[in-house]
């Protein structure tokens, strides 16, 4: 007797409702490869219901005082903190990431996202420009209205809350669509929003596929603002959908991030930091440093010690204590990882570590989507494996001889999201950071995140920035009011 699977529901106008078409998709647990819940296979009709609710709610929410919006959004943060374990476990089961990682990274960051913007709106400043005795100008920033928020499967609540928090904090109402692969924590968030007293219709979550729900959001003429995080291919579709309607669109897309280690670096720190930036979340973070470049004098030593430290990572059942590496999010993504590892060997690469499916961590996970941290050397620097985003636990390591050479390697990419530079020469750190074409440059660190800083990429890594004032400005419309003296 197969157990009846929990049906996740949409959250529209403050109510949990099923999809209009009453169709559901299997929600697969990556660690087992088995469905463990059902997610609404919603469509344009559900998006329409959400738009009506969001429009209705906007009239009041946009006029709610900053102090009141701040209070409610702070309450959401506190309730997430209260339910940390429940959210962390849900995120781990849904994504395949280790429970310890969800507990330490994903859920605390989601809470911080709400807390940051709930307090940021208490301290915003408006610009003014005085024209001698002619006129007085001030810039009024007003909420834009109903916004569409679309998020991916790798850091589900972390990235969705990074959009919901600023959008609502400045007075917009929202329709959010999490990835159909990882809907659970967005569903749990709606319960928290109800408990926090978020008024009906301010946040609406419509579950479903990109083609049925995502595209209905991006094409809707009453959703004038779109914030998207996902792959570059889909980001292009989102931009194409928004263009005819002159929508304001923010795109945070893929990356193929360089991680540069100079010979004078603190190698212990560089190796520890690089194992993290290579394999955190099974390498499924757009900021992961998948192209490692090491100055030749320390190349052999780095590779040997990096491989040794990588081999110490414990691949296991994500729910078990001590697991450093969990499951890949889906069969499709696992197949993509395997494809690139096979391609790397055809392109002349050497598998220095990993490279083939591991034995199942335990009986429960015998059909799960597991792949070991994989290190590939001896590849041509311009080969496909060094150019295309794999988005899995796979890195390449390439030697270099000069600073100009490695900067050319780093910049020879369609992407430009993030990079790391490891050196103890401060002058060189500044020089290299200025010359590398990425939206973020970490020096002697990785994934150190101050929520005030601009975050995002250039080239095919995206358009626009999230975080701090960048987010507050993206989700508001500036108006210049000029008053004659
Ligand atoms: O992301 P998609 P996927 C990369 C990674 C991955 C690739 C594709 O390389 O292999 O992107 O991953 C919704 N209109 N990143 O397929 O398709 C979709 O339902 C509107 C990097 O998961 O981009 C989901 O909610 N929406 C990324 C969201 O878009 C559409 C993190 C992202 O899905 C849509 C994840 C459409 N036409 C993957 N089609 C990062 N930068 O962090 C899909 N969606």
């Amino acid at each position: 007797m197969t157990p009846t699977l929990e049906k996740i529901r949409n959250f529209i106008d403050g109510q949990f409702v099923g999809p209009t078409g009453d169709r559901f998709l299997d929600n697969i647990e990556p660690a087992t490869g088995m469905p463990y819940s059902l997610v609404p296979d919603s469509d344009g009709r559900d998006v329409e219901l959400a738009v009506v609710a969001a429009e209705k709610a906007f009239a009041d929410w946009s006029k709610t005082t900053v102090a009141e919006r701040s209070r409610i959004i702070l309450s959401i943060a506190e309730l997430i903190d209260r339910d940390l374990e429940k959210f962390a476990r849900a995120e781990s089961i849904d994504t395949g990431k280790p429970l310890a990682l969800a507990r330490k990274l994903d859920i605390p960051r989601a809470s911080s996202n709400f807390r940051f913007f709930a307090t940021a709106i208490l301290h915003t400043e408006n610009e003014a420009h005085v024209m001698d005795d002619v006129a007085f100008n001030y810039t009024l920033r007003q909420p834009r209205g109903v916004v569409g928020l679309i998020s991916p499967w790798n850091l589900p609540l972390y990235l969705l809350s990074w959009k919901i928090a600023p959008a609502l904090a400045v007075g917009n109402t929202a329709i959010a669509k999490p990835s159909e692969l990882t809907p659970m924590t967005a569903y749990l968030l709606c319960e928290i929003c109800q408990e926090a007293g978020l008024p009906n219709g301010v946040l609406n979550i419509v579950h479903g596929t990109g083609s049925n729900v995502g595209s209905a959001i991006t094409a809707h003429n009453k959703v004038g603002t779109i914030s998207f995080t996902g792959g570059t291919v889909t980001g292009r579709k989102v931009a194409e959908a928004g263009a005819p309607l002159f929508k304001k669109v923010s795109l945070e897309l893929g990356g193929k991030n360089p991680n540069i280690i100079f010979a004078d670096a603190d190698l212990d720190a560089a190796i520890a930091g690089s194992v993290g930036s290579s394999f955190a979340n099974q390498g499924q973070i757009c900021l992961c440093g998948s192209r490692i470049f090491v100055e030749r004098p320390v190349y052999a030593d780095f590779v040997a010690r990096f491989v040794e430290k990588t081999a110490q990572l414990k691949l296991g059942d994500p729910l078990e204590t001590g697991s450093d590496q969990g499951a890949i999010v889906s069969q499709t993504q696992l197949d993509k990882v395997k494809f690139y590892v096979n391609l790397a060997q055809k392109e002349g690469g050497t598998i220095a570590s990993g490279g083939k499916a591991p034995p199942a961590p335990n009986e429960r996970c015998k059909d799960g989507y597991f792949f070991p941290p994989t290190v590939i050397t001896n590849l041509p620097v311009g080969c496909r494996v060094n150019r295309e985003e794999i988005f899995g636990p796979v890195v390449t390591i390439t030697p270099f001889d000069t600073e100009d050479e490695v900067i050319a390697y780093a910049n020879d990419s369609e992407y430009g999201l993030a990079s790391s530079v490891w050196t103890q020469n401060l002058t060189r750190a500044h020089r290299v950071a200025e010359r590398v074409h990425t939206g973020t440059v970490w020096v002697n660190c990785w994934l150190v995140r101050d929520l005030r800083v601009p975050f995002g990429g250039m080239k095919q890594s995206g358009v626009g920035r999230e975080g701090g004032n960048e987010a507050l400005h993206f989700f508001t419309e500036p108006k210049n009011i000029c008053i004659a003296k």
Side-chain angles (χ1 to χ4, degrees):
M1 166 76 168
T2 50
T4 50
L5 298 176
E6 179 190 7
K7 282 188 176 180
I8 290 169
R9 286 168 295 154
N10 293 331
F11 184 64
I12 298 175
D13 203 13
Q15 306 301 316
F16 289 99
V17 293
T20 308
D22 200 27
R23 290 191 318 275
F24 289 83
L25 304 163
D26 281 348
N27 184 24
I28 306 288
E29 180 178 2
T32 65
M34 303 301 289
Y36 83 99
S37 57
L38 294 168
V39 56
D41 186 10
S42 310
D43 57 37
R45 294 170 294 177
D46 305 293
V47 169
E48 185 57 31
L49 291 172
V51 170
V52 168
E55 263 198 314
K56 186 177 68 177
F58 180 73
D60 290 340
W61 181 248
S62 58
K63 294 182 180 53
T64 304
T65 63
V66 167
E68 177 61 1
R69 294 203 299 265
S70 177
R71 183 189 66 78
I72 292 172
I73 296 171
L74 271 175
S75 174
I76 293 172
E78 281 148 23
L79 291 169
I80 291 173
D81 290 342
R82 181 197 67 187
D83 297 351
L84 168 68
E85 197 56 30
K86 177 180 174 185
F87 273 96
R89 185 173 177 80
E91 200 72 295
S92 173
I93 292 169
D94 223 11
T95 61
K97 73 178 71 200
L99 174 57
L101 180 65
R103 192 183 286 136
K104 179 165 66 73
L105 176 70
D106 295 68
I107 308 309
R109 173 61 192 275
S111 164
S112 299
N113 289 342
F114 283 109
R115 186 165 284 112
F116 177 86
F117 287 106
T119 51
I121 55 173
L122 302 174
H123 306 284
T124 51
E125 295 177 354
N126 291 76
E127 300 93 333
H129 300 83
V130 179
M131 291 171 69
D132 300 324
D133 57 357
V134 174
F136 167 76
N137 296 274
Y138 67 97
T139 303
L140 190 59
R141 287 194 169 276
Q142 296 175 304
R144 283 182 52 87
V146 177
V147 303
L149 312 175
I150 300 173
S151 54
W153 47 255
N154 59 324
L155 300 163
L157 193 62
Y158 174 130
L159 291 174
L160 182 58
S161 57
W162 188 224
K163 298 174 188 299
I164 291 175
L168 269 50
V170 296
N172 299 297
T173 55
I175 300 166
K177 192 204 87 63
S179 172
E180 57 277 29
L181 300 179
T182 55
M184 192 56 77
T185 46
Y187 177 55
L188 296 178
L189 175 68
C190 298
E191 295 173 342
I192 292 279
C193 290
Q194 273 187 329
E195 189 177 351
L198 189 70
N200 294 347
V202 172
L203 173 64
N204 304 277
I205 295 194
V206 181
H207 293 279
T209 64
S211 50
N212 289 343
V213 175
S215 52
I217 293 171
T218 55
H220 202 292
N221 63 351
K222 294 201 175 149
V223 181
T225 311
I226 303 288
S227 177
F228 172 83
T229 296
T232 294
V233 170
T234 306
R236 186 173 288 113
K237 293 179 189 171
V238 171
E240 286 166 353
L245 294 162
F246 297 97
K247 297 193 179 197
K248 190 172 185 183
V249 177
S250 160
L251 300 170
E252 201 278 294
L253 307 177
K256 191 71 179 183
N257 306 311
N259 175 15
I260 302 169
I261 292 99
F262 286 95
D264 74 321
D266 171 345
L267 268 194
D268 291 337
I271 288 164
S274 299
V275 168
S277 63
S278 299
F279 304 117
N281 201 39
Q282 297 73 240
Q284 297 168 136
I285 298 177
C286 53
L287 301 168
C288 280
S290 52
R291 291 186 293 151
I292 303 174
F293 298 103
V294 181
E295 196 169 8
R296 201 174 297 278
V298 299
Y299 178 78
D301 185 25
F302 178 92
V303 171
R305 291 170 59 188
F306 181 83
V307 166
E308 182 188 353
K309 199 156 180 67
T310 299
Q312 291 164 12
L313 293 173
K314 182 178 181 301
L315 184 148
D317 184 334
L319 296 180
E320 283 180 1
T321 307
S323 295
D324 303 306
Q325 295 283 297
I328 304 293
V329 74
S330 67
Q331 183 67 58
T332 303
Q333 197 59 29
L334 177 61
D335 294 343
K336 180 176 180 181
V337 170
K338 289 177 175 175
F339 166 80
Y340 278 104
V341 171
N342 293 334
L343 177 62
Q345 295 170 86
K346 292 184 185 131
E347 292 186 315
T350 303
I351 305 291
S353 181
K356 52 182 183 299
N362 58 28
E363 178 57 26
R364 183 181 94 88
C365 297
K366 65 184 184 329
D367 297 322
Y369 311 132
F370 292 90
F371 201 82
T374 296
V375 183
I376 304 170
T377 56
N378 301 327
L379 274 173
V381 74
C383 69
R384 281 187 61 188
V385 170
N386 271 331
R387 307 194 71 82
E388 298 172 17
E389 186 183 49
I390 300 170
F391 218 70
V394 181
V395 296
T396 65
I397 311 181
T398 306
F400 69 89
D401 295 298
T402 69
E403 188 178 304
D404 286 345
E405 179 191 9
V406 73
I407 287 171
Y409 288 162
N411 290 339
D412 179 21
S413 170
E414 287 78 25
Y415 294 102
L417 186 56
S419 53
S420 286
V421 179
W422 300 85
T423 177
Q424 299 190 76
N425 176 333
L426 198 53
T427 308
R428 169 157 52 203
H430 286 290
R431 189 171 60 233
V432 173
E434 285 169 18
R435 295 179 65 194
V436 170
H437 300 159
T438 57
T440 295
V441 182
W442 281 293
V443 177
N444 298 330
C445 60
W446 179 71
L447 207 60
V448 173
R449 294 280 297 111
D450 180 326
L451 304 190
R452 294 170 296 179
V453 305
F455 175 83
M458 51 182 82
K459 300 194 273 186
Q460 295 194 19
S461 288
V463 176
R465 292 294 185 269
E466 296 185 297
N469 282 332
E470 299 282 343
L472 297 177
H473 289 183
F474 175 74
F475 285 112
T476 51
E477 189 70 28
K479 177 185 289 177
N480 176 46
I481 297 173
C482 177
I483 300 176
K485 282 196 172 176

